Amino acid sequence: MTNTQDLALIRNAIRVIPNWPEQGVTFRDITTLLQNPIAFHKVIDILVSRYRSKHIDVVAGLDARGFIFGPVVAYELGVGFVPIRKKGKLPYDTIHESYSLEYGDLTTVEMHVDAIKPKDRVLIMDDLIATGGTMLAACKLVEKLNGVVVECAVVNDLLYLNGSKIIRKSGYTVYTILEYK
């Protein structure tokens, strides 16, 4: 169980930038969290504690900030890490999934065709859920390779954009450390 003090420490370590990248958007900048060794350590401890007994085979991290948390959690769990990248960034054969961004543009993520083995239990990680498009695309990629999505985990959930709600309605479990209404 995560205590209120730890959550406050983590929340206070995240810089809030109003009206970025566009007017009306409040950006949650994890750069300051990463610069705070105590807060960063608490985030990793919370995630590792949650997943230590869930028999995870691989952690998949979303481009780009899922690459920060995912490998550390994978290392602590003693499992491999798989990057899910934006289209055109991976050098080997890939599968891909398209989705709409928060701001209306269509984009694509991809993963190597041999990244997940059938029945692998996969934890998908990112720093944030907004509208849920990226996370849902990642879930679909894992399932295309016959992997099992154990859970989608993030540090921040922007509840007012309904992303985690959409992911849950699609049949996936979501774990968030911090929620913003």
Side-chain angles (χ1 to χ4, degrees):
M1 179 117 213
T2 307
N3 73 47
T4 308
Q5 239 179 346
D6 289 347
L7 294 178
L9 173 72
I10 295 165
R11 187 179 301 273
N12 292 333
I14 297 170
R15 179 174 26 216
V16 176
I17 303 173
N19 300 313
W20 197 87
E22 63 183 44
Q23 191 67 28
V25 174
T26 301
F27 189 78
R28 307 287 173 184
D29 180 14
I30 63 161
T31 305
T32 48
L33 168 73
L34 301 173
Q35 293 169 331
N36 181 327
I38 297 168
F40 183 56
H41 195 259
K42 293 287 184 193
V43 167
I44 297 304
D45 284 351
I46 289 166
L47 293 167
V48 169
S49 173
R50 179 166 181 87
Y51 296 107
R52 181 137 343 258
S53 64
K54 292 196 183 276
H55 310 289
I56 302 297
D57 295 309
V58 65
V59 175
L62 291 164
D63 196 346
R65 291 177 298 274
F67 294 1
I68 297 168
F69 299 103
V72 180
V73 171
Y75 173 82
E76 290 294 327
L77 295 177
V79 301
F81 175 77
V82 170
I84 297 177
R85 304 270 342 242
K86 293 176 179 94
K87 188 173 179 152
K89 301 289 184 181
L90 292 172
Y92 186 63
D93 296 336
T94 61
I95 58 169
H96 64 274
E97 188 69 34
S98 295
Y99 64 98
S100 293
L101 288 170
E102 293 85 41
Y103 313 111
D105 297 329
L106 187 67
T107 193
T108 302
V109 289
E110 60 186 9
M111 180 170 56
H112 283 140
V113 296
D114 60 355
I116 306 288
K117 294 175 187 65
K119 298 185 182 172
D120 269 356
R121 293 175 51 80
V122 182
L123 168 61
I124 302 174
M125 296 194 70
D126 204 357
D127 71 316
L128 175 117
I129 293 176
T131 61
T134 312
M135 191 64 77
L136 274 176
C139 292
K140 290 176 184 174
L141 285 175
V142 168
E143 290 178 344
K144 280 182 180 180
L145 294 177
N146 298 310
V148 176
V149 177
V150 174
E151 199 159 66
C152 303
V154 296
V155 178
N156 300 297
D157 185 358
L158 306 181
L159 293 173
Y160 54 91
L161 293 175
N162 294 316
S164 56
K165 186 176 185 180
I166 292 166
I167 294 165
R168 287 182 179 106
K169 280 186 175 179
S170 297
Y172 304 103
T173 304
V174 177
Y175 174 73
T176 62
I177 295 175
L178 299 174
E179 295 178 336
Y180 300 89
K181 296 182 181 185

